[in-house]
Amino acid sequence: HRVSGLMKLLAVCLCKKGAPGAARSTTTHAPTHTPTHATNASTVVILCASLDLSSFGFFQKGSVRESIIFLSRLLAERTEQGSRSSVRQEDFFCHVLAKFNGLTGVVVADAEYPSRAAYCVLSKAIEEFETKFPAWKSANKDFSFTNPSLDHQIAEYQDPAKADKLLRIQKDLEETKLVLHKTIDEVLERGEKLDTLIDKSSDLSGQSKMFYKTAKKTNSCCVLM
């Protein structure tokens, strides 16, 4: 089970949309290396990510890490460019900010973490990434970039009050359309089921898929899927 405590910012993930046939890397460079598996048909490339899983138990961390990558890719793919959305999934919220140029950020946080702060974190992370890595549009493989500034941001903005001070960024956010989803089921297309997407996903190992099914059967709390 997850260790209880204060509100938590779990992950910041930056993605590139619109990359048909994008290649999947053999490793993920989010803080602990996690093997990926077969390629899939997703048009989203995970450019870089930073995760803070200190609130989870040792045996949960691997599955939670893979779940975050899976959800980030899925939500980036389903979020319209030039918009932002917040999706509740179990005890967590996934906040997505998609720019018109295809660069998309995903924050995964506790339900208690303010959405306004999450969007400010995303906007700052995207702005800094674009400045530091102008060649991001040519990336066609997961985790093509090592971005230590994401680690700094996820540590600094555990306190949402610090993110709220980014008033200039807040003005930029007002230009994007906000779409709120109560659950991830509302993001899926008609007839789609999360269970089916999980079974087909190459972001998730067999162990993580089994972890999800077991947690679902036992109605376990504090899981991401």
Side-chain angles (χ1 to χ4, degrees), residues 24 35-40 59-60 62-67 70 194-217 223 225:
R24 304 290 293 282
T36 55
H37 314 286
T39 60
N40 65 16
F59 294 105
Q60 279 189 313
S63 292
V64 172
R65 183 180 298 108
E66 291 180 3
S67 299
F70 165 77
L194 182 60
D195 287 10
T196 303
L197 294 176
I198 288 173
D199 284 337
K200 293 181 178 179
S201 173
S202 58
D203 285 318
L204 300 167
S205 64
Q207 181 180 356
S208 292
K209 293 175 183 179
M210 184 62 67
F211 174 79
Y212 160 72
K213 292 176 181 178
T214 301
K216 185 178 180 181
K217 285 181 180 179
V223 295
M225 297 188 303

XYZ file of all heavy atoms in Angstrom, residues 24 35-40 59-60 62-67 70 194-217 223 225:
332
model
N 9.711 2.336 -30.043
C 9.753 2.278 -28.596
C 11.158 1.898 -28.171
O 11.786 1.008 -28.733
C 8.742 1.246 -28.087
C 7.342 1.516 -28.569
C 6.778 2.741 -27.897
N 6.595 2.462 -26.484
C 5.575 1.750 -26.019
N 4.662 1.276 -26.836
N 5.460 1.523 -24.734
N 12.274 -2.012 -18.290
C 12.251 -2.512 -19.657
C 10.889 -2.344 -20.291
O 9.871 -2.553 -19.653
C 12.595 -3.999 -19.500
C 12.195 -4.328 -18.116
C 12.405 -3.076 -17.311
N 10.873 -1.936 -21.553
C 9.637 -1.949 -22.303
C 9.640 -3.196 -23.167
O 10.626 -3.922 -23.234
C 9.482 -0.690 -23.169
O 10.626 -0.569 -24.008
C 9.358 0.547 -22.303
N 8.565 -3.415 -23.873
C 8.418 -4.678 -24.552
C 8.192 -4.439 -26.040
O 8.888 -3.645 -26.637
C 7.288 -5.456 -23.874
C 7.439 -5.397 -22.380
N 8.391 -6.122 -21.723
C 6.823 -4.637 -21.441
C 8.339 -5.849 -20.425
N 7.402 -4.949 -20.235
N 7.250 -5.082 -26.636
C 7.053 -4.951 -28.073
C 6.583 -3.551 -28.440
O 6.000 -2.846 -27.644
C 6.023 -5.976 -28.540
N 6.819 -3.167 -29.693
C 6.333 -1.880 -30.153
C 4.826 -1.925 -30.308
O 4.226 -2.967 -30.463
C 6.972 -1.504 -31.508
O 6.632 -2.514 -32.448
C 8.462 -1.369 -31.376
N 4.180 -0.756 -30.289
C 2.747 -0.727 -30.551
C 2.445 0.403 -31.523
O 3.330 1.056 -32.040
C 1.935 -0.599 -29.250
C 2.178 0.710 -28.537
O 2.711 1.656 -29.103
N 1.782 0.757 -27.279
N 7.754 -3.052 -3.421
C 7.253 -3.996 -4.410
C 6.192 -3.391 -5.331
O 5.806 -4.009 -6.316
C 6.699 -5.244 -3.708
C 7.757 -6.044 -3.009
C 7.863 -6.013 -1.627
C 8.659 -6.808 -3.729
C 8.842 -6.739 -0.977
C 9.645 -7.544 -3.092
C 9.746 -7.513 -1.713
N 5.718 -2.198 -5.011
C 4.737 -1.512 -5.855
C 5.381 -0.618 -6.902
O 4.767 -0.343 -7.938
C 3.816 -0.641 -4.993
C 2.674 -1.376 -4.319
C 1.723 -0.390 -3.682
O 2.143 0.530 -2.991
N 0.431 -0.560 -3.916
N 7.690 -0.623 -9.237
C 7.850 -0.981 -10.644
C 6.543 -0.913 -11.404
O 6.471 -0.356 -12.498
N 5.492 -1.465 -10.819
C 4.188 -1.464 -11.475
C 3.609 -0.058 -11.561
O 2.994 0.314 -12.570
C 3.219 -2.377 -10.719
O 3.615 -3.732 -10.834
N 3.804 0.739 -10.518
C 3.308 2.114 -10.540
C 4.030 2.914 -11.619
O 3.412 3.690 -12.356
C 3.478 2.787 -9.157
C 3.144 4.267 -9.235
C 2.589 2.106 -8.125
N 5.335 2.719 -11.732
C 6.115 3.425 -12.752
C 5.589 3.097 -14.152
O 5.378 3.974 -14.986
C 7.588 3.049 -12.624
C 8.520 3.772 -13.597
C 9.966 3.336 -13.394
N 10.430 3.662 -12.061
C 10.645 2.757 -11.099
N 10.427 1.475 -11.338
N 11.078 3.121 -9.918
N 5.384 1.822 -14.419
C 4.888 1.422 -15.735
C 3.473 1.944 -15.972
O 3.122 2.330 -17.090
C 4.908 -0.107 -15.844
C 6.303 -0.682 -15.895
C 6.332 -2.190 -16.014
O 5.251 -2.814 -16.122
O 7.431 -2.756 -16.000
N 2.663 1.960 -14.923
C 1.294 2.471 -15.042
C 1.277 3.943 -15.416
O 0.459 4.393 -16.226
C 0.542 2.260 -13.728
O 0.450 0.897 -13.404
N 2.152 4.283 -19.066
C 0.993 3.844 -19.850
C -0.082 4.920 -19.892
O -0.605 5.277 -20.964
C 0.433 2.554 -19.250
C -0.946 2.197 -19.736
C -1.138 1.647 -20.996
C -2.056 2.410 -18.929
C -2.414 1.320 -21.447
C -3.333 2.090 -19.365
C -3.507 1.540 -20.636
N -10.801 -0.046 -20.720
C -9.457 0.118 -20.174
C -8.763 -1.233 -20.042
O -7.567 -1.357 -20.315
C -9.516 0.825 -18.818
C -8.177 1.101 -18.144
C -7.292 1.988 -19.015
C -8.390 1.756 -16.775
N -9.509 -2.257 -19.634
C -8.922 -3.588 -19.474
C -8.291 -4.078 -20.774
O -7.208 -4.665 -20.774
C -9.988 -4.587 -19.022
C -10.404 -4.391 -17.579
O -10.003 -3.356 -16.993
O -11.116 -5.236 -17.026
N -8.969 -3.820 -21.885
C -8.453 -4.251 -23.183
C -7.188 -3.490 -23.555
O -6.208 -4.075 -24.049
C -9.519 -4.042 -24.281
O -10.703 -4.757 -23.923
C -9.021 -4.534 -25.624
N -7.179 -2.171 -23.319
C -5.995 -1.368 -23.613
C -4.811 -1.806 -22.762
O -3.662 -1.817 -23.219
C -6.298 0.114 -23.376
C -7.323 0.748 -24.313
C -7.585 2.187 -23.904
C -6.848 0.693 -25.758
N -5.083 -2.155 -21.507
C -4.021 -2.627 -20.619
C -3.450 -3.944 -21.137
O -2.225 -4.129 -21.184
C -4.559 -2.784 -19.186
C -4.785 -1.402 -18.562
C -3.614 -3.616 -18.317
C -5.475 -1.424 -17.228
N -4.315 -4.862 -21.545
C -3.849 -6.154 -22.058
C -2.970 -5.987 -23.292
O -2.003 -6.727 -23.488
C -5.042 -7.051 -22.401
C -5.705 -7.645 -21.169
O -5.025 -7.729 -20.119
O -6.896 -8.004 -21.247
N -3.285 -4.979 -24.131
C -2.547 -4.772 -25.377
C -1.302 -3.908 -25.193
O -0.444 -3.866 -26.085
C -3.456 -4.115 -26.417
C -4.599 -5.008 -26.897
C -5.440 -4.282 -27.935
C -6.559 -5.166 -28.471
N -7.400 -4.462 -29.472
N -1.193 -3.212 -24.075
C -0.124 -2.235 -23.905
C 1.251 -2.876 -23.817
O 1.443 -3.889 -23.139
C -0.370 -1.408 -22.635
O 0.734 -0.567 -22.379
N 2.217 -2.272 -24.487
C 3.610 -2.698 -24.369
C 4.354 -1.893 -23.320
O 5.543 -2.106 -23.086
C 4.317 -2.578 -25.723
O 4.263 -1.247 -26.198
N 3.662 -0.925 -22.684
C 4.281 -0.183 -21.575
C 4.257 -0.983 -20.290
O 5.005 -0.687 -19.360
C 3.534 1.138 -21.334
C 3.838 2.181 -22.388
O 5.029 2.305 -22.759
O 2.910 2.855 -22.849
N 3.386 -1.989 -20.229
C 3.169 -2.726 -18.994
C 3.710 -4.145 -19.113
O 3.423 -4.857 -20.076
C 1.676 -2.775 -18.661
C 0.991 -1.424 -18.471
C -0.524 -1.598 -18.457
C 1.461 -0.765 -17.177
N 4.475 -4.553 -18.118
C 4.962 -5.924 -18.065
C 3.828 -6.846 -17.635
O 2.781 -6.407 -17.147
C 6.115 -6.026 -17.068
O 5.653 -5.725 -15.753
N 4.037 -8.133 -17.784
C 3.053 -9.100 -17.331
C 2.777 -8.969 -15.850
O 1.638 -9.125 -15.394
N 3.818 -8.649 -15.091
C 3.665 -8.487 -13.647
C 2.754 -7.310 -13.321
O 1.907 -7.390 -12.432
C 5.035 -8.286 -12.996
C 4.977 -8.124 -11.489
C 6.363 -7.931 -10.882
O 7.367 -7.986 -11.591
N 6.415 -7.717 -9.592
N 2.909 -6.205 -14.039
C 2.076 -5.035 -13.791
C 0.625 -5.285 -14.186
O -0.300 -4.835 -13.514
C 2.618 -3.824 -14.558
O 3.854 -3.415 -14.019
N 0.432 -6.019 -15.271
C -0.931 -6.354 -15.677
C -1.601 -7.241 -14.630
O -2.789 -7.074 -14.326
C -0.912 -7.033 -17.041
C -0.476 -6.103 -18.171
C -0.345 -6.827 -19.497
C 0.158 -5.878 -20.582
N 0.329 -6.551 -21.887
N -0.848 -8.175 -14.079
C -1.389 -9.036 -13.032
C -1.672 -8.228 -11.766
O -2.680 -8.449 -11.085
C -0.388 -10.160 -12.724
C -0.895 -11.182 -11.713
S -2.370 -12.056 -12.313
C -1.653 -12.977 -13.691
N -0.784 -7.263 -11.468
C -0.981 -6.400 -10.298
C -2.283 -5.627 -10.432
O -3.066 -5.519 -9.476
C 0.204 -5.429 -10.179
C 0.052 -4.394 -9.100
C 0.304 -4.717 -7.772
C -0.321 -3.097 -9.406
C 0.173 -3.759 -6.776
C -0.468 -2.138 -8.414
C -0.211 -2.472 -7.099
N -2.548 -5.116 -11.626
C -3.783 -4.371 -11.873
C -5.005 -5.252 -11.679
O -5.974 -4.878 -11.012
C -3.770 -3.795 -13.286
C -5.138 -3.442 -13.814
C -5.841 -2.347 -13.314
C -5.754 -4.221 -14.793
C -7.108 -2.032 -13.784
C -7.016 -3.914 -15.266
C -7.683 -2.822 -14.755
O -8.937 -2.527 -15.215
N -4.976 -6.459 -12.254
C -6.133 -7.355 -12.168
C -6.400 -7.778 -10.730
O -7.554 -7.858 -10.294
C -5.903 -8.576 -13.057
C -5.902 -8.244 -14.549
C -5.574 -9.456 -15.404
C -5.553 -9.086 -16.885
N -5.180 -10.242 -17.730
N -5.312 -8.035 -9.976
C -5.471 -8.432 -8.580
C -6.042 -7.290 -7.756
O -6.947 -7.476 -6.944
C -4.121 -8.864 -7.991
O -3.597 -9.960 -8.768
C -4.270 -9.309 -6.541
N -5.518 -6.077 -7.973
C -6.001 -4.911 -7.232
C -7.460 -4.633 -7.548
O -8.246 -4.258 -6.671
C -5.136 -3.693 -7.559
N -7.829 -4.831 -8.805
C -9.220 -4.583 -9.210
C -10.162 -5.578 -8.541
O -11.236 -5.215 -8.058
C -9.334 -4.682 -10.726
C -10.710 -4.329 -11.255
C -10.736 -4.397 -12.769
C -12.133 -4.046 -13.292
N -12.187 -4.125 -14.766
N -9.744 -6.845 -8.483
C -10.585 -7.881 -7.876
C -10.788 -7.638 -6.386
O -11.857 -7.889 -5.838
C -9.956 -9.256 -8.094
C -10.102 -9.794 -9.507
C -9.470 -11.172 -9.619
C -9.611 -11.729 -11.036
N -8.968 -13.059 -11.167
N -4.057 2.469 -6.143
C -3.457 1.992 -7.364
C -3.833 2.967 -8.469
O -4.819 3.668 -8.391
C -3.923 0.558 -7.731
C -3.434 -0.424 -6.693
C -5.439 0.499 -7.846
N -4.460 2.159 -11.726
C -5.328 1.649 -12.790
C -6.354 0.704 -12.211
O -6.207 0.192 -11.129
C -4.486 0.947 -13.837
C -3.501 1.851 -14.555
S -2.697 1.015 -15.920
C -1.965 -0.387 -15.125
